[in-house]
Amino acid sequence: MIYVTRPFLPPIDEYQHYIHQIWKRQWLTNIGPLSSELEDHLKKFLDVEHLLYVTSGTIGLQIAIKALELKGDIITTPFSFVATTSAIVWEGCNPVFVDIDSQSLTIDATKIEQAITPDTTAILATHVYGNPCDIDAIDKIANKYKIKVIYDAAHAFAITYKGKSILTYGDISICSLHATKLYHSTEGGLVATKDPMLLKKASLMRNFGISGFNQYSDLGINGKNSEFHAAMGLANLKYVRDIISKRKEITEKYNANLKSAKCLFPVWNKDASRNYAYYPIILQTEQLLLNVMEELEKNQVLTRRYFYPSLSSCLPYLDSQEYPVSDDISKRVLCLPLYYDLTLEEVNFICSVILRVQNNTSW
Ligand SMILES: Cc1ncc(COP(=O)(O)O)c(C=O)c1O
């Protein structure tokens, strides 16, 4: 079976090296030495000044919303993973969707201003598949209306925009280190901000709002990650560059094989680097997508409709609304297998099935 993704696992003895340290210290969680070491290594690797290691990208989003004291309406994208929207609702705010750009698949910055009302307090936009949003336009709007910006950079580990880490943009950016991500710590997330005071606040919130012995300075949550998770993060970090270059090679193989295929690809932000986190293709019709999926599955290849359905039309706690571009793209986008161990022969096989289905489909 070829899965759509498989987690990278470091050599077990390198992981055990950290686990032995945990056994020796008997310090399992509560921002222990491995968590702190991971934060330090990640700050260097990503070239960001302020960063927190948390339990997940989702908790990172929730802490970001809370730390920025957001209320009312938050403008967001319907084309993302459910956590982007659910974090807003969970924090008692109201998601206001703005449709996406049909090329980049990120929020359409030209449509944001018309959605702003006196109740709008922030924009929460996703760098979809790691492809940065129109950051300059979003920042301009946020400055004009004095609203905050959170970037959901769950997919954007190691991406740079205009030569700087993607995590340095917006008031707060979050990243996911979940096992399905190109770099992971089994479960995990990052909260990054340029503002040291805001980081301090988020850091207190990560630990129940505890500011000292028997002292609480704020409302908080348990967003601390364990030493076991940090151990996986540390063991994996050494391999990130290798993981990204392997994914690049696989991506280039797909690109070469699918040159003649009748499908489109998201248009990448010209000022951004790539991390090859996903390989999404946009097929001509939903029926063709279903045919491709079915035939691949018959051949033991799993793909994923990511993101489908559009968040504006499938959440039981929100009224369903139509957003033509997001509705259309989400029906036609398919992520193909992409992971460190995927062989180029397997890529050739996957592409041959896709091309065969396309050639056999009458229009
Ligand atoms: C765009 C996006 N945002 C947020 C998340 C949530 O991250 P986590 O699974 O670490 O909570 C994900 C997870 O896949 C995601 O894809």
Side-chain angles (χ1 to χ4, degrees):
M1 184 68 85
I2 301 176
Y3 297 96
V4 66
T5 185
R6 292 188 80 177
F8 176 85
L9 286 169
I12 195 161
D13 56 321
E14 293 181 18
Y15 180 60
Q16 279 166 340
H17 162 76
Y18 292 107
I19 301 302
H20 285 306
Q21 293 182 23
I22 298 175
W23 246 253
K24 246 198 234 154
R25 279 192 288 262
Q26 300 191 357
W27 189 342
L28 309 189
T29 185
N30 286 0
I31 314 162
L34 294 183
S35 298
S36 301
E37 190 180 333
L38 181 61
E39 277 181 357
D40 286 344
H41 284 355
L42 285 171
K43 276 188 230 170
K44 275 193 206 107
F45 184 85
L46 299 169
D47 199 16
V48 299
E49 230 175 304
H50 307 294
L51 168 151
L52 288 179
Y53 179 49
V54 294
T55 39
S56 67
T58 305
I59 285 292
L61 284 170
Q62 289 177 212
I63 289 176
I65 294 168
K66 201 64 114 192
L68 291 168
E69 298 176 11
L70 301 181
K71 304 261 179 300
D73 294 352
I74 299 180
I75 288 177
T76 191
T77 171
F79 190 69
S80 187
F81 183 62
V82 66
T84 317
T85 302
S86 64
I88 295 173
V89 178
W90 197 268
E91 290 304 323
C93 297
N94 178 37
V96 173
F97 293 115
V98 164
D99 209 349
I100 56 167
D101 173 66
S102 63
Q103 307 288 300
S104 68
L105 311 190
T106 59
I107 195 165
D108 187 342
T110 66
K111 296 192 177 131
I112 291 178
E113 268 195 278
Q114 64 209 51
I116 292 180
T117 71
D119 292 333
T120 308
T121 56
I123 299 165
L124 198 179
T126 301
H127 301 310
V128 176
Y129 309 126
N131 189 17
C133 303
D134 189 346
I135 289 176
D136 299 359
I138 291 172
D139 279 1
K140 224 183 204 170
I141 296 166
N143 285 335
K144 181 171 167 188
Y145 291 93
K146 306 215 172 346
I147 57 177
K148 304 290 184 191
V149 178
I150 300 173
Y151 285 116
D152 181 338
H155 300 169
F157 187 84
I159 293 280
T160 57
Y161 174 71
K162 294 194 170 168
K164 278 169 39 185
S165 166
I166 194 74
L167 299 181
T168 59
Y169 293 92
D171 292 284
I172 298 186
S173 285
I174 71 93
C175 187
S176 168
L177 306 187
H178 180 257
T180 52
K181 301 299 183 281
L182 74 93
Y183 166 73
H184 74 88
S185 67
T186 316
E187 289 274 4
L190 301 174
V191 173
T193 172
K194 293 184 293 278
D195 179 349
M197 294 308 287
L198 193 55
L199 189 95
K200 175 86 185 142
K201 191 171 181 187
S203 164
L204 289 166
M205 287 180 158
R206 171 179 68 167
N207 189 25
F208 308 101
I210 295 173
S211 54
F213 198 60
N214 296 335
Q215 276 180 346
Y216 302 90
S217 67
D218 218 326
L219 177 65
I221 196 169
N222 184 358
K224 300 171 275 101
N225 215 337
S226 82
E227 291 289 277
F228 293 91
H229 291 86
M232 182 62 89
L234 283 165
N236 277 343
L237 194 54
K238 185 174 153 191
Y239 295 94
V240 180
R241 292 195 199 287
D242 183 30
I243 292 167
I244 293 176
S245 80
K246 193 76 189 296
R247 284 173 169 268
K248 178 172 191 264
E249 195 186 353
I250 294 166
T251 298
E252 284 168 356
K253 191 73 178 164
Y254 269 128
N255 288 346
N257 282 348
L258 293 177
K259 232 181 209 151
S260 63
K262 299 183 197 97
C263 58
L264 297 171
F265 306 95
V267 175
W268 206 261
N269 189 314
K270 65 176 180 19
D271 292 315
S273 65
R274 289 179 183 241
N275 63 7
Y276 311 98
Y278 297 90
Y279 197 88
I281 60 172
I282 305 163
L283 292 133
Q284 280 171 315
T285 63
E286 184 175 24
Q287 189 54 55
L288 182 55
L289 176 144
L290 295 172
N291 295 352
V292 166
M293 264 187 105
E294 189 185 332
E295 194 59 26
L296 285 169
E297 213 165 314
K298 270 192 215 152
N299 286 280
Q300 310 287 303
V301 179
L302 299 183
T303 54
R304 186 166 171 207
R305 300 186 75 176
Y306 194 61
F307 307 107
Y308 171 82
S310 175
L311 294 171
S312 43
S313 63
C314 66
L315 300 177
Y317 42 86
L318 295 178
D319 292 337
S320 191
Q321 285 167 291
E322 283 177 20
Y323 291 88
V325 185
S326 181
D327 292 345
D328 172 47
I329 294 287
S330 60
K331 287 184 185 131
R332 297 191 287 122
V333 72
L334 190 66
C335 283
L336 302 182
L338 179 54
Y339 50 87
Y340 183 80
D341 299 313
L342 189 70
T343 67
L344 298 182
E345 290 69 36
E346 286 171 327
V347 174
N348 285 342
F349 175 69
I350 293 164
C351 294
S352 70
V353 174
I354 294 171
L355 291 169
R356 193 172 71 228
V357 176
Q358 289 206 332
N359 293 335
N360 288 344
T361 303
S362 53
W363 301 98

